[in-house]
Amino acid sequence: MCGIIGYCGQKPAVPIILEALKRLEYRGYDSAGIACLCDGKLLIEKDAGKVDEIIRKRSLADVPGNVAIGHTRWATHGAVTQVNAHPHSDCSGSAAVVHNGIIENSEQLRQELTRMGHRFTSETDTEVIPHLLEDEIKNGLSLEQAVLNIAPKLEGSYAFLVASLNDPGKIIGTRRNNPLVVGIDAPDYYVSSDALAFSPYTNQVMSLEDNEVVVLAAGKVEFFDARGNKLVKQARQLDHTWTENHKGSYQHFMLKEIMEQAQVLDQTIHQDEKTFNTIALDILRARQVIITACGSSRYAALVGRYLFSRVGKRFCDVVMASEFGYFADSVDKNTVVIAVSQSGETADVVDGVKAARAAEAQVISIINRPNSILADLSHQVIHLNCGPEMAVAATKSFLSQLAIFYLLSFAMVNAFEEAAAKLTDLSSELTRVLDWNKSELIRLSRTLKDKSDFYYIARGINFAIASEGALKLKEISYIHAEGMPAGELKHGTLALIGPGTPVVVVCPADYTFSETLSNAIEAKTRGAYIIGVSDRESDVYDSWIKIPQVDELLYPMVAVVPLHLLAYYLAINRGCDPDRPRNLAKSVTVK
Ligand code: M6R
């Protein structure tokens, strides 16, 4: 959930690190810091706050030196304070460490190190790393050997970088269960949690496997396995579309990502039909199919479940990834597990997939970010191809996931091409739905911005869209919201509906329309303010969000777009930053 970056080369390091930190902020943005080696000194600057604020506050831009590391934090151990921000150092102040992940045995290590005389200054789990390294270096080991020696003592997940006065021209990095990728542009070298961090400079990358170590030094990069044996690696080229991440003329990434969905859909549809047919066959042949995911990805999976049942006549279950392990007893080699994750690095999903692999299940992943941990763990991977999603809130990736499930379900009945053609036609409808509703959504967001609770209801294939709309609202505007199957409203939640309570009713003119509308009437009778998301007008609605008439299995895609936009405008009207909601991060790499 944190972002780390290192640079070693011939250019001034700090401006590169600071720019990279801004690109990594989607991974965490409660504090940030840098460490720079220059003229025999190790300079560490860090603070709580966003990268731009810290740069201004600490006048970081002009710090000299050609070797530096940086960190942007999402707090796990220790409050959001200046002392807990990374980099962390040892007692002598000669090494600096930035870390992404959690050292699970940090308490025990901290006690041992304290007994041995080490003095800790922060509350973080990370700080054990520089202190452990300090002892190894005192014993005469090189920095890379010290890293190799301490790695087996660390339990949990990590990717960390070290810069030290003891070996001032170098940065050492290693990882276990957290991403780390090296960027090559000789004689300049980069290392980061995400290639996006150094994307303006190079798209030539080399990845590290678990427990491998990388050494960046003047004019060279070297890799070692856990035993210190030298490794030979080939660089590969990243797709340039992955490296573009400008807001363009938009005020926020979230708005840009909502607006570019028509184009994204076209990119997503470009899939290999043969792969889809093979996967569809595996799904049909399996004894059971389980889809696992978190957050929005899980809601996309719930739509997928209806599509599998409706089109492929294949029942499957959707299990929240954080709960997957508790069902692992029934997973076996005749099970297909489909893992859905935009980032490909959500810890709960990764853990679930590991449990599935241990039970010999076949694992298929639906991922956006290329070269992720989840991709490495999967037998087959489907890429969303929707490009980097920078806002914490998932929007375009959600739409792409829906498209993938649509294609997969049609592949089950040998109709991949038919599905691809229908999706192609849909892209213009997505643009239309935005044009039609923009002003009404802005009006609604102004009128409803002070409401404390929203309810979202829908039925059948659209139910998960209600949940997705509610999640988005909570996440970026901090308004309490619940999404539920419309039929459930009367089993408890109706007690909370009173005069003026906003109830968003997703009721396209499909097989769910009449019953959903009846539930809307029940809410309206109690005074609710009904926002109808439908292609069919009704007197029941106090506000009508008009969607186009489409094939009934495609309604989730046209209905979700205005709900994302409503959440966006509500966040703006409440003065919230929709790209960086409080307490959250884009990649949730902790359990
Ligand atoms: O990267 P993933 O798809 O695995 O992430 C899962 C959730 O953390 C994510 O969808 C989260 O719920 C979003 N921020 C919602 O907008």
Side-chain angles (χ1 to χ4, degrees), residues 294-297 340-343 346 392-394 471-472 475 586 588:
C294 303
S296 289
S297 296
V340 190
S341 173
Q342 186 283 134
S343 62
T346 300
V392 166
L471 173 64
K472 218 85 327 171
E475 187 179 13
K586 184 80 179 155
V588 186

Side-chain angles (χ1 to χ4, degrees), residues 123-134:
E123 303 158 301
T124 65
D125 53 334
T126 304
E127 201 186 335
V128 298
I129 300 174
H131 289 285
L132 285 169
L133 289 171
E134 186 172 25

